[in-house]
């Protein structure tokens, strides 16, 4: 018997392209895959990455600051907000167009510029590791450190880059608005790039120099809107252990305890598959009936039907 599901979908960077022209093409195929699920009657909430996009914006704003000394430096949190808006603009229009092609005249798709609170005491702030922005010479790096307070590290002999923290999300600030729209049957795009990182200072939300992992943000959102499924879309159809080795094994069905053991055994690369599996496990163990799925964008519909992908559950 068919059951309509509330699904949070975390789109990987490959679903959006690396440049403005690439993104306009990529969102069309992305919209088709998402509309396959919507057409099946599922309630879809979309979260997306923003790696190439926020880097492009950050570089452009940094170039403006270098060209015009009177132009203040643009905080990373503002660059994330910019990326949310312009990715959402392309994605919601692509979804609207695809839905109309399929006969859905009412196409309520909306993007919410979303702030996500992080803990200023998160240990990640003590050891920033996430590189962003352009490469710099040693002299440029020293200037950026003194002028803007950047943490700068040498990057594999290619030059110096700014590094920022990647703290865990603790609160989605616009959750009430997201819940209201989802409950009203709207298609919501939110928490783009993991959300605009903010810390709470009294009554003020202050932007943080950080990047939140979009898979962890998707997990938090899925738990807080009581989703049935969290689908993390990536560049492979299934999760593997012993990846790239002769004894490579593709996984189809995992319990939470099995997945935790594979994590403990070091099967998943940090910064790649590891956060996806961690987020999937976190969601799957958060409530009875919660299921996480990791697969390719174009395989999402088949994955929900149990035909492919890696499913993680209690």
């Amino acid at each position: 018997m068919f059951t309509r599901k509330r699904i949070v979908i975390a789109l990987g960077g490959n679903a959006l392209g690396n440049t403005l022209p690439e993104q306009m093409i990529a969102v069309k195929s992305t919209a088709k895959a998402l509309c396959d699920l919507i057409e099946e009657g599922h309630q879809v909430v979309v979260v997306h990455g923003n790696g190439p996009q926020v880097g492009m914006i950050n570089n452009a704003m940094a170039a403006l600051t270098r060209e015009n000394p009177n132009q203040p430096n643009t905080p990373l949190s503002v660059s994330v907000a910019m990326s949310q808006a312009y990715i959402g603009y392309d994605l919601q229009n692509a979804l609207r167009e695809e839905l109309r092609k399929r006969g859905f005249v009412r196409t309520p798709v909306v993007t919410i510029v979303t702030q996500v609170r992080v803990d200023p005491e998160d240990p990640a702030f003590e050891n920033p590791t996430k590189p962003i922005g352009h490469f710099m010479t040693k002299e440029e790096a020293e200037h950026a450190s003194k002028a803007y307070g950047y943490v700068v590290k040498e990057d594999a002999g290619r030059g110096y880059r700014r590094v920022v923290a990647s703290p865990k999300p603790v609160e989605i600030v616009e959750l009430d608005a997201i819940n209201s729209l989802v409950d009203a049957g709207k298609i919501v795009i939110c928490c783009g790039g993991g959300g605009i990182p903010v810390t709470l200072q009294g009554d003020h939300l202050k932007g943080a120099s950080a990047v939140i992992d979009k898979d962890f943000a998707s997990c938090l959102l899925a738990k807080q809107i009581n989703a049935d499924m969290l689908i993390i879309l990536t560049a492979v159809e299934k999760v593997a252990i012993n990846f790239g080795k002769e004894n490579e094994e593709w996984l189809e069905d995992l319990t939470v305890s099995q997945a935790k053991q594979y994590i403990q055994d070091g099967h998943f690369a940090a910064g790649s598959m590891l956060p996806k599996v961690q987020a999937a496990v976190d969601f799957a163990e958060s409530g009875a009936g919660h299921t996480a799925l990791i697969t390719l964008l174009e395989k999402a519909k088949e994955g929900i039907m149990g035909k492919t992908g890696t499913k993680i559950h209690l």
Side-chain angles (χ1 to χ4, degrees), residues 123-233:
F125 284 108
E126 296 298 318
N127 182 33
T129 58
K130 189 80 172 178
I132 63 164
H134 64 287
F135 286 96
M136 296 176 279
T137 64
K138 185 176 182 179
E139 292 74 20
E140 289 170 334
E142 289 174 350
H143 172 74
S145 179
K146 291 177 182 177
Y148 311 130
Y150 287 177
V151 177
V152 182
K153 293 184 180 179
E154 200 274 333
D155 190 334
R158 297 179 295 176
Y160 292 80
R161 290 182 80 186
R162 180 187 181 189
V163 291
V164 298
S166 186
K168 293 290 180 66
V170 297
E171 179 191 6
I172 297 167
V173 177
E174 286 76 22
L175 181 64
D176 284 348
I178 293 167
N179 255 323
S180 295
L181 288 164
V182 173
D183 288 342
K186 313 305 180 188
I187 301 162
V188 180
I189 302 164
C190 59
C191 298
I196 303 163
V198 294
T199 58
L200 185 61
Q201 300 187 356
D203 292 326
H204 175 62
L205 290 169
K206 179 178 174 57
S209 293
V211 174
I212 302 169
D213 188 287
K214 68 104 175 44
D215 296 316
F216 292 137
S218 299
C219 173
L220 179 62
L221 176 69
K223 290 192 290 187
Q224 294 193 336
I225 67 169
N226 196 28
D228 301 296
M229 288 192 77
L230 169 63
I231 302 180
I232 299 176
L233 299 175

Side-chain angles (χ1 to χ4, degrees), residues 20-38:
L20 283 169
E22 281 185 16
Q23 178 170 296
M24 292 188 72
I25 295 169
V27 292
K28 293 185 181 298
S29 58
T30 297
K32 289 179 181 177
L34 295 177
C35 287
D36 284 345
L37 305 183
I38 295 165

Side-chain angles (χ1 to χ4, degrees), residues 234-239 250 294-296 299 302 307-310:
T234 185
V236 292
E237 187 170 345
K238 299 176 184 178
V239 176
W250 296 99
I294 302 174
T295 193
L296 287 166
K299 297 288 185 177
E302 292 177 46
K307 295 181 178 179
T308 191
T310 301

